[in-house]
Amino acid sequence: MSDLLSRISDAVRWGRKDEIEKLAEEVIANNIDPIEVIQKGGVAGLDSLGQAFEELEAFLPELMMGGETMKILIDKLSPHMENQKSAFAGKVVIGTVKGDLHDIGKNLVATTLSVNGFNVVDLGVDVSTNKFIELATQNDADIIAMSSLLTTSAYYMEELVTRLVKEDMRSKFKVIVGGGPIDPNWAKTIGADAYARTAVGAVKTCKELMKIEKISETLIGD
Ligand code: B12
């Protein structure tokens, strides 16, 4: 298993799309938990690619190839995630904030919430604060979930919470945030209700949020 995970991590790191298809098939044939493979294989590969990018050992085309390879892995494995849709768990409007086009983590969170019984409305990437509020209202959402991978875009998470307060809508929606540069401190500072580090953590945390009647000062997170 650890050999397979490291082959998957390498294939994503080096953007080897043909190889990832075969490795995904190996995962399916051996009935291995897709979430574990995505996290410990795929995410590990992208982390190492991100590190190389930071150290100027990899460049934008490699980042794109790595991202595309990861998407193939997720697309192949998602249908094999264990479906827990036994009861309606709540309605989530999710998106990547304005200025940010990263969607692999956001998609993973959306899919994992969905297979765990949440009704998920995915607004995509580069989502403005206006669009988040409009679509959350239109869909009568319980939770607004925001993803950001760029430090420069994380500000829009704060803008959304501030707007909800100003427009007297803060109690209508629970707000959860996540993504690479986001941590519990940031979530607390901007007045979000919850933070989660991973897609599995997001499910656990959103379930917790659904149990809470009123928003509180205490941040919930995994
Ligand atoms: C792949 C990638 C890209 C791809 C994205 C493809 C796509 N469709 O998403 C492309 C090539 C397009 C790209 C572009 C850029 N990128 Co880029 N990219 C990455 C890389 C390597 C991987 C990101 C990823 O998908 N990780 C895997 C997923 C599964 O992890 P994740 O997103 O973190 O999500 C998990 C958790 O965070 C959490 N989560 C995520 N969202 C949410 C939401 C909620 C509500 C919750 C609860 C949890 C949660 O759950 C997820 C699953 O466990 C990262 C490095 C890294 N290690 O993150 C750099 C990185 C994010 N990119 C970076 C940069 C700088 C850029 C560019 C500006 C580069 C450039 N010069 O143009 C552009 C920006 C474009 C834009 N406007 O958005 C920097 C960001 C630095 C910063 N902190 O601001 C990073 C960190 C690389 C680096 N080390 O410098 N990138």
Side-chain angles (χ1 to χ4, degrees):
M1 165 83 164
S2 68
D3 171 58
L4 181 58
L5 290 179
S6 76
R7 280 190 287 145
I8 287 171
S9 170
D10 277 357
V12 171
R13 163 64 183 86
W14 298 101
R16 296 196 286 252
K17 295 188 196 173
D18 292 346
E19 193 181 337
I20 206 71
E21 297 236 10
K22 290 186 194 116
L23 291 169
E25 275 153 25
E26 205 174 318
V27 170
I28 296 160
N30 288 294
N31 237 335
I32 303 169
D33 178 13
I35 293 273
E36 199 179 339
V37 170
I38 289 169
Q39 198 65 38
K40 294 190 181 156
V43 175
L46 283 183
D47 279 349
S48 127
L49 180 56
Q51 185 72 30
F53 180 75
E54 219 171 281
E55 289 161 9
L56 302 178
E57 282 166 10
F59 301 93
L60 202 53
E62 280 114 310
L63 224 53
M64 288 167 81
M65 286 292 277
E68 286 162 18
T69 309
M70 178 69 160
K71 281 194 164 184
I72 295 173
L73 178 70
I74 295 174
D75 284 352
K76 282 238 158 206
L77 297 186
S78 295
H80 299 272
M81 284 183 192
E82 209 173 313
N83 203 321
Q84 310 277 346
K85 266 185 190 158
S86 48
F88 173 71
K91 194 163 201 177
V92 181
V93 160
I94 190 168
T96 302
V97 297
K98 197 170 165 188
D100 192 340
L101 304 176
H102 294 88
D103 66 355
I104 298 171
K106 183 267 296 167
N107 293 349
L108 203 53
V109 172
T111 306
T112 316
L113 283 170
S114 176
V115 298
N116 280 279
F118 282 90
N119 184 340
V120 179
V121 181
D122 189 343
L123 307 183
V125 295
D126 193 20
V127 180
S128 69
T129 303
N130 273 348
K131 192 168 175 191
F132 267 116
I133 297 178
E134 197 183 309
L135 271 294
T137 307
Q138 231 173 64
N139 285 285
D140 198 17
D142 301 293
I143 298 171
I144 298 177
M146 286 182 282
S147 176
S148 178
L149 272 275
L150 296 178
T151 319
T152 43
S153 284
Y155 155 76
Y156 292 105
M157 295 176 161
E158 184 173 22
E159 185 181 78
L160 183 127
V161 179
T162 309
R163 280 272 309 273
L164 290 179
V165 173
K166 260 199 190 143
E167 291 167 30
D168 214 12
M169 297 170 90
R170 185 64 187 91
S171 59
K172 275 183 97 176
F173 310 107
K174 312 275 172 40
V175 177
I176 180 168
V177 292
I182 309 306
D183 64 15
N185 258 344
W186 172 250
K188 204 169 164 46
T189 306
I190 65 167
D193 302 303
Y195 158 84
R197 198 177 51 79
T198 63
V200 172
V203 172
K204 203 172 127 219
T205 308
C206 284
K207 283 187 173 165
E208 286 289 306
L209 281 178
M210 290 304 295
K211 288 188 208 147
I212 297 164
E213 286 284 314
K214 272 190 167 172
I215 53 163
S216 75
E217 300 282 295
T218 324
L219 184 82
I220 300 178
D222 65 329

